[in-house]
């Protein structure tokens, strides 16, 4: 295939009956092997002789082309051409002729897939099975995913001058449906791109609306299988209950639909651990609150999963300059994030995130290599784009490639035949031929496009190759977090919802402290006045008869609700004396025990909530330095009850 023009194709059987005889597809490998045609033909013939007769594998030569075919009754029918009843050439087919215009017909590599035809074969195969229910589900799945709107896909790769260019096209005409509809072309926010340093060695940007994606995915699942759709919604509901915020309305919608990822020597190292992610949330405050809720949930869940172990995984925060960075305290890497000036930053360490947030130099638009590379693509409104400064990264990538190749050659030297060197070209040779790599994806009414340019095939992969990353063990601890069952009793569900209320209170207190020199709110009323919370979180679902009353005529919410919470909250707030430096055992708030039967939920200073039985209340409160509510040692309420 590397020495001579070679093609491989698959095609459907001529008749449905042929499926039972030789399989659902037929095809061939074709090679114009020149002077080696006879030798290659002999190899093919030996292979064909050893194959089962049912497979109809044949080897032959026609017009200098060596062919190994399967599934054909008449061997020459595997080759297109005039006369002898042979089929028309693919080049003359309407679909291929339209598709190849979006690629390079003379490319070194060309590929084409008739997606509509493949989907038709799939549906025919399902219908032949005779199960109407399965057939309906397959049809619904294809429609919900949007694949029914895809006609064909074409790809090409070849040299244009000294550059290697790849192009691809997915024929999916607008309006696109299902998951395919998430591809939307429009200019990237210039202020977001400006947060990428001009010195960036790798840079990519993509457009993904997470809220739209989840909503579209949910609809696709529901349209395909109502039972699966119900499970999907229950999973979202369980996640909402555990996190304390709605995934569909409070967590995903505030996030931005544009994301950039980069490495830069002005921020950190050029490898994976130096990668920074940046987005511009639609609502920075709500996005921050959602992330804090997720951080607290992850921290609380890990504490539950690791209870009784000799180690712990916690979410923490630190102040670096004027940036508050939140991170997960784990070995080797500490997944971190921060918000600053309306942007969200994430990375593998607090230092990387802080450096990215505080960067004040020129943006990526000031990079000549980037601007010239993107100009060569002639794309104005990409869905995604990518830039790699290959010449800068090559020394490290070349060293890694040499080490990996030498591993194989060294084993050969030691245990088999001596290996010749050098297999990998010299670094000066690579650098002489290298140039920045650029790629982009975009969409219009006709379909979805992709194009890329680099100095030679695989240049960007070699430049980014790192032996350390290939051999580095995964530093993150994987665990299974069990969400509370949705089928438990009403009391158990109310206990979970009450804990969620306390977590939201804890989140609001942490945000208040961040804005007030580390001091916690002086009262519950102050929490409502200053933070984005609803009064409903101060009504315990475990307590009967107490809910947020309707707003009296003429009353102002900002005056009435804080006063109501001060006088009627089902939670006892004792955090007024605390600061953000408080010990994790310090108690911020707890459920009022009155009317409860077995124990209370308690909110601690690090944001986690524990359920404490009445028998354990004295010990827990003593450790937290807070006067305990009146309960006796048997777990029954004391005089207050």
């Amino acid at each position: 295939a590397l020495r001579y023009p070679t093609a491989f194709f698959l095609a459907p059987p001529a008749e449905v009956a042929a499926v039972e005889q030789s399989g659902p597809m037929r095809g061939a490998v074709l090679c114009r092997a020149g002077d080696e045609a006879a030798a290659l033909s002999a190899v093919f013939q030996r292979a064909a002789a050893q194959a089962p007769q049912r497979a109809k594998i044949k080897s032959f030569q026609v017009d200098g082309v060596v062919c190994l075919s399967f599934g054909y009754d008449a061997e020459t029918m595997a080759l297109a051409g005039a006369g002898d009843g042979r089929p028309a050439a693919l080049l003359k087919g309407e679909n291929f002729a339209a598709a190849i215009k979006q690629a390079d017909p003379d490319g070194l590599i060309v590929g084409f897939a008739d997606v509509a035809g493949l989907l038709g074969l799939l549906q025919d195969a399902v219908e032949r099975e005779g199960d109407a229910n399965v057939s309906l589900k397959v049809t619904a799945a294809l429609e919900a995913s949007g694949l029914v709107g895809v006609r064909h896909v074409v790809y090409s790769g070849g040299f244009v001058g000294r550059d290697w260019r790849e192009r691809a096209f997915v024929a999916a005409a607008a309006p696109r449906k299902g998951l395919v509809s998430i591809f939307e072309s429009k200019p990237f926010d210039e202020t977001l791109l400006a947060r990428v340093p001009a010195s960036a060695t790798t840079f990519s940007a993509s457009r993904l609306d997470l809220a739209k994606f989840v909503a579209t995915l949910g609809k696709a699942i529901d349209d395909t299988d109502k039972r699966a759709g119900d499970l999907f919604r229950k999973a979202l509901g369980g996640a909402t209950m555990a996190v304390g915020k709605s995934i569909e309305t409070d967590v995903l919608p505030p996030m931005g639909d544009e994301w950039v990822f980069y490495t830069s020597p002005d921020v950190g190292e050029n490898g994976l651990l130096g990668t920074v992610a940046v987005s511009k949330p639609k609502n920075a405050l709500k996005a921050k609150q959602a992330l804090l809720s997720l951080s607290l949930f992850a921290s609380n869940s890990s504490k539950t999963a690791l209870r009784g172990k000799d180690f712990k995984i916690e979410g923490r925060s630190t102040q670096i300059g004027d940036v508050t960075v939140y991170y997960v305290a784990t070995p080797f890497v500490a997944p971190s994030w921060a918000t600053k000036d309306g942007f969200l930053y994430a990375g593998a360490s607090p230092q990387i995130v802080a450096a990215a947030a505080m960067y004040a130099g020129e943006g990526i638009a000031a990079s000549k290599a980037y601007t010239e590379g993107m100009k060569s693509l002639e794309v104005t409104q990409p869905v995604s784009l990518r830039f790699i400064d290959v010449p800068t990264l090559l020394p490290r990538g070349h060293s890694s490639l040499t080490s990996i190749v030498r591993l194989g050659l060294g084993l050969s030297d030691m245990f088999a035949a001596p290996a010749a060197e050098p297999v990998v070209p010299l670094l000066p040779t690579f650098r002489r031929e290298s140039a920045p790599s650029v790629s982009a994806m975009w969409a219009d009414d006709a379909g979805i496009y992709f194009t890329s340019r680099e100095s030679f095939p695989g240049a960007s992969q070699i430049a980014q190759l790192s032996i350390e990353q290939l051999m580095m063990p995964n530093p993150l601890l994987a665990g299974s977090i069990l969400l509370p069952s949705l089928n438990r009793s009403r009391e158990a569900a109310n206990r979970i919802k009450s804990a969620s209320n306390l977590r939201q209170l804890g989140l609001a207190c942490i945000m208040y402290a961040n804005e007030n020199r580390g001091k916690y709110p002086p009262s519950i009323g102050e929490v409502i006045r200053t933070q984005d919370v609803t009064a409903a979180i101060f009504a315990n679902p475990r307590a009967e008869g107490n809910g947020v009353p309707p707003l009296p005529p003429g009353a102002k919410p900002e005056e009435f609700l804080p006063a109501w919470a001060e006088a009627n909250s089902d939670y006892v707030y004792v955090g007024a004396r605390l600061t953000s430096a408080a010990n994790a055992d310090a108690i911020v708030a707890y459920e009022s025990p009155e009317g409860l039967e077995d124990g209370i939920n308690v909110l601690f200073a690090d944001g986690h909530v524990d359920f404490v039985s009445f028998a354990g209340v004295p010990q827990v409160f003593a450790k937290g330095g807070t006067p305990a509510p009146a309960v006796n040692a048997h777990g029954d309420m004391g005089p207050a009850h």
Side-chain angles (χ1 to χ4, degrees), residues 556-568:
K556 297 180 179 180
E558 62 271 20
E559 296 176 354
F560 174 78
L561 294 177
W564 171 84
E566 293 278 7
N568 299 282

Side-chain angles (χ1 to χ4, degrees), residues 118-293:
L118 287 171
L119 296 181
L121 289 174
L122 173 63
Q123 290 178 307
D124 288 343
V126 172
E127 289 177 1
R128 284 198 302 272
E129 293 297 323
D131 190 328
N133 186 43
V134 173
S135 179
L136 288 173
K137 285 188 176 182
V138 170
T139 301
L142 294 176
E143 292 179 351
S145 66
L147 288 177
V148 291
V150 178
R151 308 309 301 167
H152 54 256
V153 177
V154 65
Y155 162 86
S156 68
F159 286 99
V160 179
R162 293 176 62 87
D163 291 340
W164 172 259
R165 180 172 73 177
E166 293 180 293
R167 299 174 67 184
F169 173 67
V170 179
R176 288 177 279 273
K177 299 179 180 180
L179 296 177
V180 182
S181 68
I182 66 174
F183 291 98
E184 178 184 4
S185 284
K186 61 181 180 180
F188 279 100
D189 189 324
E190 294 296 333
T191 62
L192 177 60
L193 299 185
R195 300 308 305 151
V196 180
S199 61
T201 51
T202 64
F203 161 57
S204 63
S206 60
R207 189 180 304 283
L208 176 60
D209 188 329
L210 294 174
K212 180 180 178 180
F213 175 77
V214 170
T216 304
L217 178 62
K219 185 177 185 305
I221 295 174
D222 195 53
D223 290 346
T224 303
D225 189 323
K226 293 296 183 183
R227 182 177 299 178
D230 289 341
L231 291 175
F232 182 79
R233 286 188 293 273
K234 286 182 178 180
L236 287 177
T240 294
M241 187 176 295
V243 173
K245 286 186 176 294
S246 171
I247 302 298
E248 295 173 281
T249 61
D250 298 327
V251 175
L252 297 181
M255 303 297 179
D257 64 349
E258 296 178 9
W259 302 80
V260 298
F261 304 84
Y262 72 85
T263 59
S264 165
D266 286 334
V267 172
E269 67 159 21
N270 286 325
L272 178 65
L273 298 182
T275 301
V276 177
V278 190
S279 73
K280 188 175 183 180
K282 298 175 183 176
N283 186 315
L285 177 60
K286 288 185 177 295
K288 182 178 181 180
Q289 291 173 337
L291 288 170
L292 282 172
S293 293

Side-chain angles (χ1 to χ4, degrees), residues 384-470:
S384 67
L385 53 89
R386 191 181 188 197
F387 164 77
I388 301 171
D389 188 353
V390 173
T392 300
L393 297 176
L394 257 178
R396 182 179 182 182
H398 182 271
S399 176
S400 299
L401 177 63
T402 303
S403 298
I404 294 169
V405 172
R406 171 82 325 247
L407 173 63
L409 297 180
L411 293 173
S412 178
D413 288 334
M414 294 172 63
F415 301 105
E421 278 281 24
V423 173
V424 178
L426 305 181
L427 177 59
T429 303
F430 270 118
R431 300 195 75 167
R432 186 170 58 249
E433 299 296 332
S434 70
S437 298
V438 288
S439 64
M441 182 184 294
W442 73 102
D444 63 15
D445 289 345
I448 303 165
Y449 305 78
F450 169 83
T451 185
S452 70
R453 291 182 79 116
E454 57 185 342
S455 47
F456 54 87
S460 57
Q461 286 75 22
I462 293 174
Q464 294 183 285
L465 189 62
S466 168
I467 189 70
E468 295 91 342
Q469 292 176 18
L470 291 174

